mmCIF file of all heavy atoms in Angstrom:
data_model
loop_
_atom_site.group_PDB
_atom_site.id
_atom_site.type_symbol
_atom_site.label_atom_id
_atom_site.label_comp_id
_atom_site.label_asym_id
_atom_site.label_seq_id
_atom_site.Cartn_x
_atom_site.Cartn_y
_atom_site.Cartn_z
ATOM 1 N N PHE A 1 -3.272 -6.246 -5.332
ATOM 2 C CA PHE A 1 -2.232 -5.678 -6.190
ATOM 3 C C PHE A 1 -2.748 -5.588 -7.639
ATOM 4 O O PHE A 1 -1.985 -4.884 -8.468
ATOM 5 C CB PHE A 1 -0.967 -6.490 -6.046
ATOM 6 C CG PHE A 1 -0.125 -6.168 -4.834
ATOM 7 C CD1 PHE A 1 -0.675 -5.638 -3.719
ATOM 8 C CD2 PHE A 1 1.231 -6.442 -4.898
ATOM 9 C CE1 PHE A 1 0.024 -5.368 -2.571
ATOM 10 C CE2 PHE A 1 2.087 -6.138 -3.740
ATOM 11 C CZ PHE A 1 1.433 -5.630 -2.592
ATOM 12 N N MET A 2 -3.780 -6.195 -7.986
ATOM 13 C CA MET A 2 -4.071 -6.335 -9.368
ATOM 14 C C MET A 2 -4.783 -5.031 -9.915
ATOM 15 O O MET A 2 -4.794 -4.779 -11.128
ATOM 16 C CB MET A 2 -5.049 -7.478 -9.660
ATOM 17 C CG MET A 2 -4.435 -8.799 -9.326
ATOM 18 S SD MET A 2 -5.489 -10.200 -9.891
ATOM 19 C CE MET A 2 -7.004 -9.844 -9.050
ATOM 20 N N GLY A 3 -5.363 -4.113 -9.122
ATOM 21 C CA GLY A 3 -6.093 -3.140 -9.498
ATOM 22 C C GLY A 3 -7.372 -3.663 -10.327
ATOM 23 O O GLY A 3 -8.042 -4.479 -9.913
ATOM 24 N N ASP A 4 -7.508 -3.010 -11.464
ATOM 25 C CA ASP A 4 -8.683 -3.415 -12.452
ATOM 26 C C ASP A 4 -8.333 -4.493 -13.316
ATOM 27 O O ASP A 4 -9.093 -4.886 -14.232
ATOM 28 C CB ASP A 4 -9.166 -2.232 -13.038
ATOM 29 C CG ASP A 4 -9.831 -1.234 -12.097
ATOM 30 O OD1 ASP A 4 -10.409 -1.713 -11.088
ATOM 31 O OD2 ASP A 4 -9.771 0.024 -12.416
ATOM 32 N N SER A 5 -7.010 -4.930 -13.299
ATOM 33 C CA SER A 5 -6.579 -5.903 -14.306
ATOM 34 C C SER A 5 -6.877 -7.343 -13.784
ATOM 35 O O SER A 5 -7.307 -7.561 -12.706
ATOM 36 C CB SER A 5 -4.984 -5.797 -14.424
ATOM 37 O OG SER A 5 -4.382 -6.038 -13.226
ATOM 38 N N ALA A 6 -6.726 -8.239 -14.764
ATOM 39 C CA ALA A 6 -7.090 -9.565 -14.368
ATOM 40 C C ALA A 6 -5.994 -10.453 -13.676
ATOM 41 O O ALA A 6 -6.198 -11.482 -13.142
ATOM 42 C CB ALA A 6 -7.416 -10.377 -15.814
ATOM 43 N N GLY A 7 -4.888 -9.866 -13.445
ATOM 44 C CA GLY A 7 -3.751 -10.535 -12.867
ATOM 45 C C GLY A 7 -2.562 -9.670 -12.867
ATOM 46 O O GLY A 7 -2.537 -8.581 -13.341
ATOM 47 N N GLY A 8 -1.500 -10.175 -12.216
ATOM 48 C CA GLY A 8 -0.301 -9.426 -12.184
ATOM 49 C C GLY A 8 -0.280 -8.326 -11.135
ATOM 50 O O GLY A 8 -1.057 -8.255 -10.146
ATOM 51 N N ILE A 9 0.568 -7.264 -11.381
ATOM 52 C CA ILE A 9 0.776 -6.180 -10.467
ATOM 53 C C ILE A 9 0.481 -4.911 -11.175
ATOM 54 O O ILE A 9 1.071 -4.574 -12.197
ATOM 55 C CB ILE A 9 2.225 -6.091 -9.922
ATOM 56 C CG1 ILE A 9 2.538 -7.453 -9.179
ATOM 57 C CG2 ILE A 9 2.502 -4.883 -9.029
ATOM 58 C CD1 ILE A 9 3.918 -7.644 -8.753
ATOM 59 N N ASP A 10 -0.428 -4.061 -10.564
ATOM 60 C CA ASP A 10 -0.698 -2.709 -11.029
ATOM 61 C C ASP A 10 0.091 -1.753 -10.162
ATOM 62 O O ASP A 10 -0.177 -1.603 -8.986
ATOM 63 C CB ASP A 10 -2.247 -2.463 -10.952
ATOM 64 C CG ASP A 10 -2.579 -0.995 -11.396
ATOM 65 O OD1 ASP A 10 -2.598 -0.755 -12.656
ATOM 66 O OD2 ASP A 10 -2.744 -0.193 -10.591
ATOM 67 N N GLY A 11 1.032 -1.091 -10.768
ATOM 68 C CA GLY A 11 1.959 -0.178 -10.006
ATOM 69 C C GLY A 11 1.255 0.903 -9.230
ATOM 70 O O GLY A 11 1.580 1.155 -8.107
ATOM 71 N N ASN A 12 0.262 1.538 -9.866
ATOM 72 C CA ASN A 12 -0.520 2.569 -9.233
ATOM 73 C C ASN A 12 -1.235 2.137 -7.997
ATOM 74 O O ASN A 12 -1.345 2.719 -6.791
ATOM 75 C CB ASN A 12 -1.498 3.332 -10.078
ATOM 76 C CG ASN A 12 -0.852 4.146 -11.107
ATOM 77 O OD1 ASN A 12 0.285 4.623 -10.949
ATOM 78 N ND2 ASN A 12 -1.307 4.175 -12.356
ATOM 79 N N THR A 13 -1.764 0.925 -8.127
ATOM 80 C CA THR A 13 -2.456 0.302 -7.019
ATOM 81 C C THR A 13 -1.581 0.034 -5.767
ATOM 82 O O THR A 13 -1.854 0.308 -4.564
ATOM 83 C CB THR A 13 -3.217 -1.036 -7.436
ATOM 84 O OG1 THR A 13 -4.159 -0.671 -8.424
ATOM 85 C CG2 THR A 13 -4.005 -1.618 -6.207
ATOM 86 N N VAL A 14 -0.344 -0.634 -6.113
ATOM 87 C CA VAL A 14 0.587 -0.884 -5.038
ATOM 88 C C VAL A 14 1.036 0.427 -4.405
ATOM 89 O O VAL A 14 1.237 0.441 -3.243
ATOM 90 C CB VAL A 14 1.732 -1.583 -5.653
ATOM 91 C CG1 VAL A 14 2.837 -1.938 -4.573
ATOM 92 C CG2 VAL A 14 1.286 -2.955 -6.292
ATOM 93 N N LEU A 15 1.271 1.415 -5.175
ATOM 94 C CA LEU A 15 1.622 2.757 -4.545
ATOM 95 C C LEU A 15 0.624 3.233 -3.640
ATOM 96 O O LEU A 15 0.862 3.854 -2.570
ATOM 97 C CB LEU A 15 1.924 3.695 -5.696
ATOM 98 C CG LEU A 15 2.403 5.131 -5.274
ATOM 99 C CD1 LEU A 15 3.842 4.992 -4.520
ATOM 100 C CD2 LEU A 15 2.654 5.985 -6.439
ATOM 101 N N ARG A 16 -0.679 3.120 -3.925
ATOM 102 C CA ARG A 16 -1.716 3.583 -3.153
ATOM 103 C C ARG A 16 -1.704 2.754 -1.843
ATOM 104 O O ARG A 16 -1.898 3.387 -0.709
ATOM 105 C CB ARG A 16 -3.073 3.459 -3.854
ATOM 106 C CG ARG A 16 -4.323 4.149 -2.937
ATOM 107 C CD ARG A 16 -5.641 3.686 -3.506
ATOM 108 N NE ARG A 16 -5.884 2.324 -3.345
ATOM 109 C CZ ARG A 16 -6.262 1.735 -2.100
ATOM 110 N NH1 ARG A 16 -6.412 2.484 -1.127
ATOM 111 N NH2 ARG A 16 -6.532 0.410 -2.057
ATOM 112 N N LEU A 17 -1.497 1.540 -1.857
ATOM 113 C CA LEU A 17 -1.501 0.709 -0.629
ATOM 114 C C LEU A 17 -0.223 1.206 0.146
ATOM 115 O O LEU A 17 -0.277 1.243 1.384
ATOM 116 C CB LEU A 17 -1.447 -0.727 -1.019
ATOM 117 C CG LEU A 17 -2.658 -1.408 -1.678
ATOM 118 C CD1 LEU A 17 -2.406 -2.700 -2.166
ATOM 119 C CD2 LEU A 17 -3.863 -1.361 -0.748
ATOM 120 N N ALA A 18 0.883 1.456 -0.582
ATOM 121 C CA ALA A 18 1.998 1.840 0.181
ATOM 122 C C ALA A 18 1.815 3.207 0.833
ATOM 123 O O ALA A 18 2.399 3.494 2.032
ATOM 124 C CB ALA A 18 3.253 1.909 -0.822
ATOM 125 N N GLU A 19 1.131 4.025 0.320
ATOM 126 C CA GLU A 19 0.815 5.399 0.844
ATOM 127 C C GLU A 19 -0.008 5.179 2.203
ATOM 128 O O GLU A 19 0.303 5.881 3.224
ATOM 129 C CB GLU A 19 0.022 6.256 -0.045
ATOM 130 C CG GLU A 19 0.858 6.729 -1.236
ATOM 131 C CD GLU A 19 0.055 7.386 -2.294
ATOM 132 O OE1 GLU A 19 -1.154 7.242 -2.243
ATOM 133 O OE2 GLU A 19 0.641 8.170 -3.163
ATOM 134 N N GLU A 20 -0.854 4.197 2.160
ATOM 135 C CA GLU A 20 -1.627 3.864 3.410
ATOM 136 C C GLU A 20 -0.706 3.400 4.468
ATOM 137 O O GLU A 20 -0.818 3.781 5.673
ATOM 138 C CB GLU A 20 -2.723 2.790 3.129
ATOM 139 C CG GLU A 20 -3.747 3.175 2.197
ATOM 140 C CD GLU A 20 -4.977 3.755 2.871
ATOM 141 O OE1 GLU A 20 -5.241 3.479 3.997
ATOM 142 O OE2 GLU A 20 -5.819 4.419 2.066
ATOM 143 N N VAL A 21 0.246 2.527 4.128
ATOM 144 C CA VAL A 21 1.235 2.049 5.143
ATOM 145 C C VAL A 21 2.053 3.060 5.631
ATOM 146 O O VAL A 21 2.425 3.287 6.765
ATOM 147 C CB VAL A 21 2.073 0.900 4.439
ATOM 148 C CG1 VAL A 21 3.231 0.358 5.506
ATOM 149 C CG2 VAL A 21 1.223 -0.285 4.108
ATOM 150 N N LYS A 22 2.568 3.990 4.705
ATOM 151 C CA LYS A 22 3.376 5.161 5.020
ATOM 152 C C LYS A 22 2.708 6.061 6.057
ATOM 153 O O LYS A 22 3.331 6.584 7.003
ATOM 154 C CB LYS A 22 3.746 6.007 3.843
ATOM 155 C CG LYS A 22 4.718 7.149 4.048
ATOM 156 C CD LYS A 22 6.070 6.790 4.459
ATOM 157 C CE LYS A 22 7.010 7.949 4.370
ATOM 158 N NZ LYS A 22 6.833 9.074 5.187
ATOM 159 N N GLN A 23 1.439 6.246 5.941
ATOM 160 C CA GLN A 23 0.702 7.063 6.945
ATOM 161 C C GLN A 23 0.689 6.500 8.243
ATOM 162 O O GLN A 23 0.868 7.331 9.331
ATOM 163 C CB GLN A 23 -0.826 7.193 6.408
ATOM 164 C CG GLN A 23 -1.040 8.066 5.172
ATOM 165 C CD GLN A 23 -2.562 8.158 4.824
ATOM 166 O OE1 GLN A 23 -3.344 7.612 5.529
ATOM 167 N NE2 GLN A 23 -2.746 8.690 3.664
ATOM 168 N N LEU A 24 0.685 5.276 8.455
ATOM 169 C CA LEU A 24 0.737 4.538 9.710
ATOM 170 C C LEU A 24 2.224 4.809 10.304
ATOM 171 O O LEU A 24 2.291 5.127 11.487
ATOM 172 C CB LEU A 24 0.526 3.058 9.596
ATOM 173 C CG LEU A 24 -0.765 2.516 9.088
ATOM 174 C CD1 LEU A 24 -0.838 1.100 8.842
ATOM 175 C CD2 LEU A 24 -1.839 3.000 10.001
ATOM 176 N N CYS A 25 3.190 4.621 9.550
ATOM 177 C CA CYS A 25 4.581 4.814 9.995
ATOM 178 C C CYS A 25 4.756 6.329 10.469
ATOM 179 O O CYS A 25 5.457 6.494 11.474
ATOM 180 C CB CYS A 25 5.563 4.474 8.885
ATOM 181 S SG CYS A 25 5.529 2.760 8.424
ATOM 182 N N ASP A 26 4.139 7.180 9.802
ATOM 183 C CA ASP A 26 4.321 8.707 10.050
ATOM 184 C C ASP A 26 3.804 9.022 11.437
ATOM 185 O O ASP A 26 4.158 10.021 12.021
ATOM 186 C CB ASP A 26 3.670 9.563 8.957
ATOM 187 C CG ASP A 26 4.482 9.425 7.617
ATOM 188 O OD1 ASP A 26 5.612 9.114 7.658
ATOM 189 O OD2 ASP A 26 3.849 9.930 6.617
ATOM 190 N N ILE A 27 2.768 8.294 11.910
ATOM 191 C CA ILE A 27 2.263 8.528 13.238
ATOM 192 C C ILE A 27 2.867 7.625 14.295
ATOM 193 O O ILE A 27 2.338 7.618 15.461
ATOM 194 C CB ILE A 27 0.717 8.382 13.197
ATOM 195 C CG1 ILE A 27 0.233 7.034 12.848
ATOM 196 C CG2 ILE A 27 0.004 9.438 12.313
ATOM 197 C CD1 ILE A 27 -1.259 6.810 12.991
ATOM 198 N N GLY A 28 3.841 6.873 13.954
ATOM 199 C CA GLY A 28 4.554 6.203 14.916
ATOM 200 C C GLY A 28 4.248 4.662 15.094
ATOM 201 O O GLY A 28 4.661 3.995 16.035
ATOM 202 N N VAL A 29 3.440 4.157 14.194
ATOM 203 C CA VAL A 29 2.993 2.717 14.289
ATOM 204 C C VAL A 29 4.137 1.839 13.606
ATOM 205 O O VAL A 29 4.722 2.228 12.563
ATOM 206 C CB VAL A 29 1.727 2.477 13.536
ATOM 207 C CG1 VAL A 29 1.366 1.004 13.535
ATOM 208 C CG2 VAL A 29 0.555 3.346 14.032
ATOM 209 N N GLN A 30 4.490 0.728 14.398
ATOM 210 C CA GLN A 30 5.413 -0.169 13.811
ATOM 211 C C GLN A 30 4.660 -1.217 12.895
ATOM 212 O O GLN A 30 3.612 -1.922 13.398
ATOM 213 C CB GLN A 30 6.183 -0.853 14.871
ATOM 214 C CG GLN A 30 7.043 0.075 15.671
ATOM 215 C CD GLN A 30 7.686 -0.598 16.956
ATOM 216 O OE1 GLN A 30 7.576 -1.805 17.102
ATOM 217 N NE2 GLN A 30 8.467 0.162 17.640
ATOM 218 N N VAL A 31 4.958 -1.386 11.739
ATOM 219 C CA VAL A 31 4.116 -2.144 10.787
ATOM 220 C C VAL A 31 4.870 -3.246 10.100
ATOM 221 O O VAL A 31 5.955 -3.175 9.579
ATOM 222 C CB VAL A 31 3.738 -1.204 9.488
ATOM 223 C CG1 VAL A 31 2.799 -2.058 8.577
ATOM 224 C CG2 VAL A 31 2.918 0.039 10.144
ATOM 225 N N GLY A 32 4.306 -4.557 10.315
ATOM 226 C CA GLY A 32 4.758 -5.684 9.609
ATOM 227 C C GLY A 32 3.678 -5.991 8.560
ATOM 228 O O GLY A 32 2.497 -5.767 8.720
ATOM 229 N N LEU A 33 4.086 -6.578 7.404
ATOM 230 C CA LEU A 33 3.324 -6.881 6.309
ATOM 231 C C LEU A 33 3.461 -8.288 5.886
ATOM 232 O O LEU A 33 4.624 -8.848 5.831
ATOM 233 C CB LEU A 33 3.620 -6.047 5.115
ATOM 234 C CG LEU A 33 3.108 -4.503 4.979
ATOM 235 C CD1 LEU A 33 3.690 -3.836 3.844
ATOM 236 C CD2 LEU A 33 1.623 -4.490 5.089
ATOM 237 N N VAL A 34 2.349 -8.976 5.673
ATOM 238 C CA VAL A 34 2.388 -10.309 4.907
ATOM 239 C C VAL A 34 1.545 -10.119 3.663
ATOM 240 O O VAL A 34 0.349 -9.605 3.811
ATOM 241 C CB VAL A 34 1.929 -11.429 5.829
ATOM 242 C CG1 VAL A 34 1.647 -12.655 4.929
ATOM 243 C CG2 VAL A 34 2.978 -11.753 6.913
#
């Protein structure tokens, strides 16, 4: 979640990861996240 920063949350990085998860859902995969 940090992206290129030293810590915390980078919003653009989280959104990119969310897009990967959304692609899975769009093809019918049931997704759990930890």
Side-chain angles (χ1 to χ4, degrees):
F1 278 24
M2 296 191 303
D4 295 326
S5 59
I9 298 173
D10 178 77
N12 290 329
T13 300
V14 177
L15 182 60
R16 185 191 69 79
L17 295 171
E19 288 170 345
E20 297 265 343
V21 174
K22 179 68 163 61
Q23 289 178 9
L24 300 175
C25 298
D26 288 345
I27 61 173
V29 182
Q30 297 175 0
V31 183
L33 284 172
V34 169

